[in-house]
């Protein structure tokens, strides 16, 4: 029960773009290098984030990734769910037909509560609030 | 980011045993049938729960699974983590070396908070509290 690599890389990619300010075009090679994202992964993630309307993929020699949403309006939940799909923790919460017990099951209620709390916490974290520590986007070993 | 089948089955297995009262020996075939757990899966899960000290596997013709912990002292967190390991949501929370940014990363703090809330919610749910609805252990379609 944990975030996929794709989810982690998507968060890093948006962290990078958000740190550069809205409208800046981030160079793909640079994002991959600075944020430790395998390049082939970054391409796929960028497509998912573009499909969700969070960034634009600019083609050409001076192309790259451009954040379309202001960091204060973009949350960790938005970015994570754009890549891994809606968080639900247990199948029964989102697909009641997956368990015949769902309707009357008290465990189901616990999973619903847990899911709701998790999504609220990720929703509260905007990429503007995550910029408070600049070091977040610089690998520690490169600071030394 | 969701509970594995093994985690789900472990919860169902303990729900069954808890509903029968402490000390009762649950028949494996019956547990598998009533709780919709594939039999081969139940054996593996029982071993994991036994290793965690939550139940005893009784061999022989009248053997089966015996719950060793009172339902009021056994939580959803205990059972889930006995089977899927410690919940951490994101690698960086439990293995700081997996991300060079962990120490200074504000996203890391959000994952820590989310993880803590999730574990607290699962810890509050004892198997005694989950017994409030008997229907929880009876598939809905069999009630009709």
């Amino acid at each position: 029960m944990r975030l996929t690599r794709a989810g982690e890389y998507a968060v890093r990619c948006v962290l990078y773009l958000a740190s550069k300010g809205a409208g800046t075009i981030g160079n793909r090679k640079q994002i991959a290098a600075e944020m430790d994202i395998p390049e082939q992964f970054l391409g796929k993630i960028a497509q998912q984030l573009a499909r969700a309307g969070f960034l634009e993929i600019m083609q050409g020699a001076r192309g790259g990734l451009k954040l379309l949403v202001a960091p204060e309006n973009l949350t960790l939940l938005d970015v994570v769910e754009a890549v891994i799909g809606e968080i639900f923790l247990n199948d029964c919460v989102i697909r009641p037909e997956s368990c015949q017990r769902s309707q009357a099951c008290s465990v189901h209620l616990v999973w619903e509560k847990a899911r709701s709390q998790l999504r609220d916490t990720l929703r509260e974290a905007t990429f503007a609030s995550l910029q408070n520590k600049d070091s977040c986007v610089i690998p520690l070993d490169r600071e030394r």
Side-chain angles (χ1 to χ4, degrees), chain A:
Chain A
M1 187 184 286
R2 68 174 188 258
L3 189 64
T4 59
R5 283 274 108 185
E8 171 69 23
Y9 292 146
V11 170
R12 291 188 193 181
C13 171
V14 175
L15 271 178
Y16 178 96
L17 294 171
S19 76
K20 303 299 179 187
T24 312
I25 297 173
N27 177 278
R28 265 184 268 201
K29 280 194 183 301
Q30 208 163 344
I31 298 172
E34 283 199 31
M35 305 306 285
D36 294 326
I37 306 173
E39 273 193 63
Q40 69 278 21
F41 236 122
L42 182 59
K44 194 186 159 209
I45 286 161
Q47 284 178 353
Q48 290 177 294
L49 294 173
R51 211 172 297 134
F54 302 148
L55 56 79
E56 193 179 343
I57 301 173
M58 320 288 282
Q59 304 295 344
R62 306 191 65 178
L65 307 179
K66 185 179 172 185
L67 194 64
L68 296 179
V69 182
E72 55 270 31
N73 295 329
L74 193 58
T75 72
L76 210 48
L77 184 69
D78 295 328
V79 170
V80 166
E81 292 200 337
V83 172
I84 70 166
E86 203 172 320
I87 292 172
F88 46 89
L89 297 182
N90 196 345
D91 273 359
C92 65
V93 174
I94 206 163
R95 293 191 293 120
E97 72 279 9
S98 71
C99 178
Q100 295 168 324
R101 297 168 184 79
S102 291
Q103 278 188 287
C105 176
S106 45
V107 184
H108 177 86
L109 301 177
V110 180
W111 286 114
E112 281 197 331
K113 180 183 173 188
R115 177 209 187 203
S116 177
Q117 285 176 326
L118 173 56
R119 295 183 81 235
D120 286 349
T121 296
L122 299 185
R123 193 184 288 111
E124 282 162 17
T126 69
F127 278 85
S129 74
L130 296 172
Q131 294 302 316
N132 295 341
K133 292 186 176 186
D134 280 348
S135 47
C136 192
V137 298
I138 304 168
L140 293 180
D141 62 348
R142 296 185 194 182
E143 287 183 309
R144 287 182 214 125

